[in-house]
Amino acid sequence: MDKQNKHKSICRQRKEREKQQRIQSILDAARTVFASKGYLKSTMDEIAMAAEITKPTIYLYFKSKDDLILSLILPLIAEIRVHLKKLEKDMSAGKIQDGRDLVLGIFHAYYNAYESSPETFRVLQLFQQKDLLGDFKPEIRSILDEKGRNNVILCRSMLTQGMEMGLLKKVNVFALADIIWGLVVGVIQLEDCKNDEENGHKLKIGTLGLAQQLITEALTRLE
């Protein structure tokens, strides 16, 4: 490569890095604003201010506020799926030998996603609010519903397999999957109200640990 082409290549790489850094700064700002103010009350002006850029600059990368929240939530849903798929792979390989490992694996799949990005998880919690769903465009709702539903179906499938293998009591798998997800989301939200993050998440870890224990004991006492 001659000097001129090499220089052009270096410039293109620098511009791409700057673009990705700008996109990431916008996402970081949106995550913070959404988590602190809620989706409905947040404005693109506030996000622009938090990112220290102009509002028109945001629209160079994101079409709308819906587009922004989609860009935040989808990677988190994908991360949860990665953890669940690993657990499914372990089941297929015979590495899950008792119900406790299965239940704890599902709890950990959800909580690990929270640990990797607490603020994004809080944004996902906003999506759980029924009143908020109507404020998303239908196509945005459809995408989030589909991705989230795929994770739920995978969770139910593993729980069903665990019941068929005799690792767990046979109960309503739809209710059980909802209970596990609801516990994780609810406990995180409750303990966050107590500023638990400032204390190293001790309350969340303790409360979720007890919930895991109670559910595991109830489901593995096979009659």
Side-chain angles (χ1 to χ4, degrees):
M1 181 183 296
D2 58 42
K3 289 184 178 181
Q4 184 176 5
N5 287 333
K6 183 177 180 180
H7 182 257
K8 288 181 179 179
S9 176
I10 292 174
C11 289
R12 283 195 300 269
Q13 292 174 17
R14 177 182 58 78
K15 288 180 180 179
E16 181 60 26
R17 285 197 305 272
E18 291 174 348
K19 176 184 176 181
Q20 293 306 319
Q21 289 170 357
R22 179 63 54 82
I23 290 173
Q24 189 58 53
S25 70
I26 294 171
L27 289 173
D28 289 344
R31 183 185 297 110
T32 300
V33 174
F34 287 150
S36 63
K37 298 199 64 175
Y39 177 77
L40 293 179
K41 294 181 179 180
S42 299
T43 67
M44 295 295 263
D45 287 300
E46 290 169 329
I47 295 170
M49 185 176 297
E52 299 181 344
I53 58 174
T54 63
K55 186 165 69 171
T57 301
I58 294 181
Y59 288 112
L60 293 175
Y61 306 100
F62 300 96
K63 297 177 181 178
S64 64
K65 196 166 70 168
D66 282 351
D67 193 23
L68 263 174
I69 201 167
L70 192 64
S71 298
L72 286 171
I73 292 179
L74 285 183
L76 183 64
I77 294 176
E79 181 178 351
I80 291 173
R81 187 165 187 82
V82 167
H83 292 302
L84 291 174
K85 291 294 286 186
K86 183 180 183 303
L87 182 62
E88 182 186 45
K89 184 177 179 180
D90 287 344
M91 286 192 72
S92 298
K95 295 180 180 180
I96 304 298
Q97 296 295 327
D98 58 54
R100 178 181 180 278
D101 289 342
L102 176 56
V103 171
L104 293 186
I106 294 173
F107 265 95
H108 289 161
Y110 294 147
Y111 190 74
N112 286 343
Y114 166 77
E115 278 191 315
S116 69
S117 182
E119 286 189 335
T120 302
F121 198 92
R122 293 185 190 109
V123 174
L124 179 61
Q125 287 175 321
L126 297 176
F127 180 67
Q128 305 294 311
Q129 299 174 18
K130 183 178 179 181
D131 293 341
L132 180 60
L133 296 180
D135 292 287
F136 286 102
K137 294 179 180 178
E139 58 269 27
I140 300 295
R141 284 204 310 272
S142 177
I143 293 172
L144 291 174
D145 282 341
E146 178 185 359
K147 298 298 183 181
R149 189 182 305 113
N150 288 340
N151 283 350
V152 173
I153 291 172
L154 178 55
C155 178
R156 291 173 185 163
S157 175
M158 288 188 290
L159 290 170
T160 298
Q161 185 178 348
M163 294 175 195
E164 292 173 348
M165 293 169 61
L167 304 180
L168 301 172
K169 283 183 179 180
K170 290 188 177 181
V171 298
N172 185 321
V173 71
F174 292 85
L176 179 56
D178 285 350
I179 287 171
I180 294 174
W181 172 247
L183 275 170
V184 174
V185 172
V187 166
I188 288 173
Q189 188 170 27
L190 175 64
E191 304 302 2
D192 272 344
C193 293
K194 304 174 185 177
N195 297 318
D196 184 44
E197 191 170 1
E198 297 177 4
N199 298 313
H201 305 286
K202 292 180 180 178
L203 294 176
K204 293 185 195 71
I205 294 172
T207 304
L208 285 174
L210 178 58
Q212 293 167 5
Q213 178 184 341
L214 293 174
I215 290 179
T216 300
E217 289 179 354
L219 290 174
T220 55
R221 289 177 180 171
L222 305 178
E223 299 175 356

